Amino acid sequence: MTIETKFSFDQDYVRELSTKHGEPSWLLDLRLQAISKLEDLPMPKPDKTKIDKWNFTQFSTHTVESTPYTSLEELSAEVKSLIDEDNQTKNLYIQRDNTPAYTELSQELKDKGVIFTDIFTAAKNHGDLLQKYFMDGVKVDEHRLTALHAALLNGGAFIYVPKNVEVEAPLQAVYIHENPEATLFNHVIVVAEDNSSVTYVENYLSTGTFDNAVVNIISEVFTGANAKVTFGAVDHLATGVTTYVNRRAIIGRDSRIEWALGLMNDGDTISENITYLMGDGSSGDTKTVVVGRGEQKQNFTTSVIHYGKNSDGQILKHGVMKDSASSIFNGIGKIEHGASKSNAEQESRVLMLSEKARGDANPILLIDEDDVTAGHAASVGRVDPVQLYYLMSRGIPKVEAERLVIHGFLAPVVNELPIEGVKKQLVEIIERKVK
């Protein structure tokens, strides 16, 4: 049976929400326009995945008020383990359900004009700057879930790096999902102006038990000329959470985006990751690792779209499926007319650990220009018995040998995460999920 779409949040609710946060008029107007379009917009149609019975829109509570943290000592051990405590200049934002709970940015970066704050503070204190980028890479009316997101925005972060500023220490955001009533509509914007660089890493972590919860995440990355952004993420939302996540980048001339994504949710998930290489000499490198288990269904689409000449797009996706989990891995490299001398490469590999697990890798190349290079590789299979035999012949038990093979298979992405605590978290999650 298809879930009926009857929205319990109307324009009056949106006005009240916007007033509560002290938002500028442009953001209220955008929210109202979005909610007015909801019923006329279609749901997204992920390739080869039926989502008509998934719940993305029905929830009783939109915003949960939680207690902020007065110090990092109040964090749980699980959250503390994610933070690089050896780094004395922590640049950190923590959101507890829908509440901005802790923010820290070094004085040195503040003096250079760097902004790292929650989305509502950005709307009040940097409204003109936020307006320039908010819902510009991802459009409000793309489909019903993007409009719903714009209308019901209730969390997220804003990162801005001015021209000629290089941020050497990573900026980290931790989004803690702990209240069973909490619904997340988080929006993250990362802006790197000309000749700047920044590394941003985010963690989504469920610490409670959820039943039919909804999470809707959009991230937008923008670079000027000759800039670089590294965007790392580990998503680990619980069983019982249905997630839509859309991460998108608009990359300028001679600029670069590097994605390192650990998509470890235990619930049903749609994930879109799209990079637009707009400028000549721009490049995008996307590395994604996925582990599916139980009966969850997931759809992952990674696209790199070339507009600039001499642009380079790389996609690497490794997935491990077990139990009765089912995942679709779509990789799209598209070279538009005029993007001459560009290169689009992709590789998708899926490892299945049980008879009922299913993983489909679908590499797609769309080429509208002659003077380019492009290629793809895809494989779906089980643990290589030759590798197992080699390890077992050296006295390693079969279970441990299989574990080592899996970690070796996923290492190209895991090793790219720039914060040691986050890398360790991803390894631990993989350990738990593949047992």
Side-chain angles (χ1 to χ4, degrees):
M1 180 191 334
T2 302
I3 292 179
E4 294 184 17
T5 306
K6 295 179 180 179
F7 301 107
S8 55
F9 303 95
D10 57 15
Q11 291 196 357
D12 289 339
Y13 176 83
V14 167
R15 285 192 182 90
E16 182 181 340
L17 176 69
S18 185
T19 300
K20 173 185 173 184
H21 288 294
E23 295 174 357
S25 58
W26 68 262
L27 184 50
L28 171 59
D29 291 343
L30 187 148
R31 286 183 183 271
L32 293 174
Q33 291 171 19
I35 204 165
S36 69
K37 296 177 180 180
L38 280 178
E39 293 187 1
D40 296 328
L41 290 170
M43 289 290 286
K45 295 179 173 59
D47 187 43
K48 299 183 180 179
T49 302
K50 293 183 66 177
I51 63 170
D52 55 317
K53 296 181 181 179
W54 295 21
N55 177 29
F56 293 102
T57 59
Q58 302 302 300
F59 44 90
S60 58
T61 304
H62 172 242
T63 299
V64 171
E65 297 289 343
S66 299
T67 305
Y69 301 109
T70 57
S71 77
L72 297 181
E73 293 305 312
E74 298 177 27
L75 298 175
S76 68
E78 188 175 12
V79 176
K80 278 184 181 179
S81 68
L82 301 177
I83 300 166
D84 185 3
E85 297 193 68
D86 293 333
N87 182 2
Q88 298 303 309
T89 56
K90 299 180 184 71
N91 300 306
L92 180 65
Y93 170 62
I94 301 175
Q95 181 177 306
R96 192 175 187 183
D97 292 321
N98 308 118
T99 300
Y102 185 91
T103 306
E104 186 173 356
L105 181 64
S106 72
Q107 189 60 48
E108 179 186 3
L109 291 181
K110 290 179 184 177
D111 293 342
K112 291 180 178 180
V114 174
I115 301 169
F116 182 32
T117 189
D118 68 271
I119 200 80
F120 298 120
T121 297
K124 286 187 288 187
N125 297 344
H126 311 283
D128 291 344
L129 192 57
L130 181 69
Q131 183 181 12
K132 182 179 178 180
Y133 298 103
F134 184 74
M135 298 301 292
D136 187 61
V138 179
K139 302 303 181 183
V140 170
D141 57 359
E142 287 189 15
H143 50 67
R144 186 171 294 170
L145 296 187
T146 54
L148 188 70
H149 175 97
L152 298 182
L153 166 74
N154 64 6
F158 180 64
I159 297 95
Y160 175 79
V161 182
K163 292 181 180 179
N164 305 315
V165 174
E166 295 186 6
V167 180
E168 295 180 1
L171 309 182
Q172 183 178 13
V174 181
Y175 302 97
I176 305 169
H177 195 205
E178 63 182 14
N179 190 312
E181 298 296 318
T183 300
L184 302 185
F185 286 86
N186 279 0
H187 196 99
V188 172
I189 294 176
V190 180
V191 180
E193 295 281 16
D194 296 355
N195 306 308
S196 69
S197 65
V198 65
T199 293
Y200 167 77
V201 180
E202 65 182 20
N203 298 85
Y204 280 88
L205 178 66
S206 290
T207 60
T209 301
F210 296 85
D211 181 22
N212 211 27
V214 173
V215 170
N216 184 316
I217 300 164
I218 291 179
S219 298
E220 300 178 285
V221 177
F222 303 89
T223 70
N226 194 37
K228 179 182 177 181
V229 172
T230 299
F231 191 115
V234 176
D235 302 345
H236 191 209
L237 295 167
T239 304
V241 179
T242 301
T243 302
Y244 169 73
V245 56
N246 187 333
R247 293 183 170 113
R248 194 166 298 185
I250 314 296
I251 305 302
R253 176 175 53 82
D254 295 323
S255 288
R256 180 170 177 80
I257 175 75
E258 294 181 354
W259 302 96
L261 308 177
L263 306 180
M264 297 287 128
N265 292 339
D266 283 325
D268 294 341
T269 300
I270 297 176
S271 173
E272 298 180 62
N273 179 216
I274 303 175
T275 299
Y276 292 97
L277 299 177
M278 303 302 297
D280 293 351
S282 57
S283 62
D285 189 324
T286 305
K287 292 184 173 68
T288 305
V289 61
V290 176
V291 177
R293 65 176 176 179
E295 298 182 354
Q296 70 179 143
K297 293 177 172 55
Q298 302 182 92
N299 186 290
F300 305 98
T301 298
T302 304
S303 302
V304 179
I305 303 173
H306 301 247
Y307 289 92
K309 294 179 173 61
N310 294 290
S311 54
D312 183 77
Q314 303 290 325
I315 298 173
L316 175 65
K317 302 165 78 171
H318 282 195
V320 174
M321 298 292 112
K322 63 175 293 189
D323 304 326
S324 298
S326 174
S327 292
I328 303 295
F329 297 85
N330 300 308
I332 302 170
K334 186 177 183 183
I335 300 180
E336 299 286 358
H337 182 67
S340 58
K341 300 189 184 304
S342 293
N343 180 41
E345 302 287 343
Q346 62 173 293
E347 176 185 324
S348 295
R349 303 198 183 279
V350 184
L351 196 61
M352 292 184 290
L353 304 184
S354 60
E355 293 292 335
K356 294 183 179 180
R358 182 178 178 89
D360 291 341
N362 304 308
I364 300 169
L365 291 173
L366 303 172
I367 311 298
D368 196 23
E369 181 60 57
D370 294 331
D371 187 14
V372 300
T373 57
H376 64 73
S379 67
V380 177
R382 305 196 180 280
V383 174
D384 187 345
V386 175
Q387 290 179 324
L388 282 183
Y389 176 78
Y390 175 83
L391 292 171
M392 291 169 64
S393 69
R394 276 141 180 81
I396 299 174
K398 182 179 180 181
V399 172
E400 176 65 10
E402 188 174 75
R403 187 187 71 84
L404 291 173
V405 170
I406 293 168
H407 278 285
F409 177 74
L410 300 178
V413 176
V414 175
N415 292 339
E416 291 297 313
L417 286 166
I419 295 178
E420 198 60 37
V422 177
K423 189 184 300 184
K424 181 180 177 183
Q425 178 216 19
L426 181 54
V427 171
E428 290 174 351
I429 294 170
I430 291 170
E431 288 276 359
R432 292 198 298 270
K433 294 191 76 167
V434 300
K435 278 184 179 178

